[in-house]
Amino acid sequence: MSPRRPIVAVLGASADEPPPGIEPAFELADLRYAGDIDEVTSAIAHADAIFAWGAPRSWLEDAFGTAAGVRWIQAASDGVDGLLFPALAASDVVVTNARGVFDDPIAEWVVAAMLAFTTGLQTSVVDQTEARWTDGRRRDRIAGQHLVVVGPGPIGRATATRARALGLTVEAVGRTVRTDEVLGRIAGPDGFHEALARADHVLDALPLTPGTHGMFDAKAFDAMRSTAHFVNVGRGATVDEDALIDAIRSGAIAGASLDVFVEEPLPSDSPLWSMPSVAVSPHISGDVHDWEQAVVGVFVDNLRRFVAGEPLRNAVDTEAGFGVG
């Protein structure tokens, strides 16, 4: 008697519009789609695993009590704050994320943001909208500037590698003091404000957890130089946006490049839209043309491992709220 094929619930997709490139999964498991909230309970009731492709957290959270057989959940993003909820974090279910898919594209976006800010290209784009020819400007070089990475995960490492190639120096701040093979010595929370005071560019690459919520507050921005450039590709709620707006208006920092926000889409009445020293990006820093296929590739690879009883890639520490390894 052959073993039963595992059942995988795919949340946020339908058989008519499946995640692109998912066909190899058909050979490994039976897929059950839940394209809307009414289909979730039946899809996960007998499932062994879940691919959280495009569903809000509430779909799974509300029906989680019926998912008694689920042993593994694959997230379709690097950050898992949009997936984790208390019952899931307290369970034995293994959660994996899409780490590795977005690291390099986001790092390239960060480098582009730093270059645009430093060279004045961002100012030229603003001037162009008003047909204003402001010659005679002087600009800085990015070589010799200093980047502080807050959140020394894969995105921070990928950015640090590229930044050093351009001549920047780099330091990092994390949860604990330690040494990283890419970033070198990582300072702990006690060194956070001291590091900010040395930065020409500050990269927020933090996951959203109770410990990082609002971490960039008025005190953090006050610690920065008046010439500092703040970049956020982590999560919007790691920043006190009112404090950020006040810091830019007062000249406490020089400007910001933002890909994530507390509320998304960014409300039309947010002052961030009209600040000439702020670049607003609609949470697309990692969205290269083939990102969906790459995420599905991670899921299919992990599904093969799941079926074979092998360790899964990209495990998440559900208590801490982010990926490990």
Side-chain angles (χ1 to χ4, degrees):
M1 183 177 179
S2 60
R4 179 179 71 83
R5 283 164 58 88
I7 297 172
V8 179
V10 182
L11 307 187
S14 66
D16 293 333
E17 296 185 19
I22 203 170
E23 291 77 14
F26 300 159
E27 301 174 6
L28 301 165
D30 294 332
L31 305 186
R32 303 284 187 266
Y33 291 99
D36 59 53
I37 191 171
D38 295 331
E39 298 174 332
V40 173
T41 299
S42 60
I44 70 175
H46 302 290
D48 301 285
I50 292 172
F51 183 22
W53 171 247
R57 176 174 57 193
S58 59
W59 286 19
L60 181 57
E61 185 173 14
D62 292 345
F64 191 63
T66 65
V70 170
R71 292 175 285 137
W72 162 51
I73 298 176
Q74 173 70 53
S77 62
D78 194 331
V80 291
D81 53 284
L83 171 65
L84 293 179
F85 48 90
L88 174 56
S91 74
D92 295 327
V93 175
V94 175
V95 176
T96 56
N97 67 1
R99 190 165 66 254
V101 171
F102 303 103
D103 307 348
D104 289 341
I106 292 177
E108 292 172 0
W109 187 96
V110 174
V111 168
M114 292 192 298
L115 283 167
F117 188 86
T118 302
T119 63
L121 181 59
Q122 184 168 307
T123 300
S124 295
V125 170
V126 173
D127 287 350
Q128 181 179 348
T129 63
E130 300 179 7
R132 184 170 55 235
W133 182 269
T134 51
D135 60 351
R137 292 203 318 260
R138 297 292 184 267
R139 68 174 184 83
D140 295 321
R141 289 197 60 200
I142 200 165
Q145 292 189 341
H146 187 62
L147 168 66
V148 172
V149 175
V150 184
I155 293 168
R157 293 189 191 96
T159 303
T161 299
R162 288 161 174 79
R164 288 195 178 110
L166 290 169
L168 286 89
T169 54
V170 180
E171 68 176 307
V173 179
R175 290 192 305 157
T176 58
V177 176
R178 61 190 188 276
T179 300
D180 180 85
E181 61 182 7
V182 174
L183 292 165
R185 182 184 180 278
I186 298 174
D190 289 345
F192 176 50
H193 292 106
E194 291 181 7
L196 295 181
R198 292 186 286 269
D200 295 297
H201 304 274
V202 176
L203 172 60
D204 178 354
L206 291 166
L208 181 59
T209 70
T212 65
H213 192 281
M215 185 169 171
F216 281 94
D217 55 12
K219 187 175 180 180
F221 292 119
D222 285 344
M224 296 182 197
R225 299 174 180 175
S226 61
T227 54
H229 171 221
F230 176 67
V231 184
N232 191 5
V233 295
R235 285 293 184 262
T238 63
V239 177
D240 179 338
E241 283 185 0
D242 289 338
L244 172 60
I245 291 167
D246 288 344
I248 296 170
R249 281 176 170 164
S250 68
I253 67 172
S257 298
L258 310 170
D259 188 53
V260 290
F261 304 88
V262 173
E263 183 180 346
E264 296 180 359
L266 182 66
S268 60
D269 61 352
S270 170
L272 294 170
W273 283 112
S274 58
M275 290 181 155
S277 61
V278 174
V280 171
S281 173
H283 204 149
I284 58 167
S285 62
D287 292 0
V288 291
H289 286 295
D290 61 349
W291 75 264
E292 293 99 338
Q293 292 89 336
V295 168
V296 174
V298 173
F299 160 67
V300 172
D301 179 61
N302 264 342
L303 180 57
R304 290 194 181 100
R305 295 166 182 260
F306 182 75
V307 171
E310 299 174 354
L312 303 180
R313 287 170 56 192
N314 296 354
V316 169
D317 182 333
T318 54
E319 183 176 351
F322 51 82
V324 296

